Amino acid sequence: QHVVELYPTLEFLSVCASRGVAVTLGSDAHSPEQVGMDFDLSLAHLRRAGVTEIATFAGRKRTMRPLEG
């Protein structure tokens, strides 16, 4: 059975969002097919917490992008 445990908690994310703390997404994958698994749930979790943009990185440079949807 596939159990989804989202971290950090909604309460913590809400506090971070209210203070403008940048958020990014990661994948705790143990095999290639697990990379990105359940990102749809993570995005919904971020939206519930009030997060409106996420940080992406390329060449160690951070870019803030709108959280779409």
Side-chain angles (χ1 to χ4, degrees):
Q1 180 176 334
H2 176 69
V3 177
V4 177
E5 183 178 336
L6 297 174
Y7 178 82
T9 65
L10 185 61
E11 293 79 14
F12 183 76
L13 275 176
S14 296
V15 170
C16 291
S18 72
R19 288 172 170 74
V21 175
V23 175
T24 192
L25 293 173
S27 192
D28 185 22
H30 298 271
S31 63
E33 53 275 352
Q34 291 178 330
V35 174
M37 182 182 284
D38 296 321
F39 266 26
D40 55 335
L41 298 176
S42 297
L43 292 172
H45 189 61
L46 292 174
R47 286 186 197 97
R48 281 192 300 275
V51 174
T52 59
E53 57 184 7
I54 59 170
T56 61
F57 294 86
R60 295 187 168 196
K61 182 177 187 278
R62 181 179 81 179
T63 302
M64 298 305 293
R65 303 197 185 274
L67 186 60
E68 298 179 7

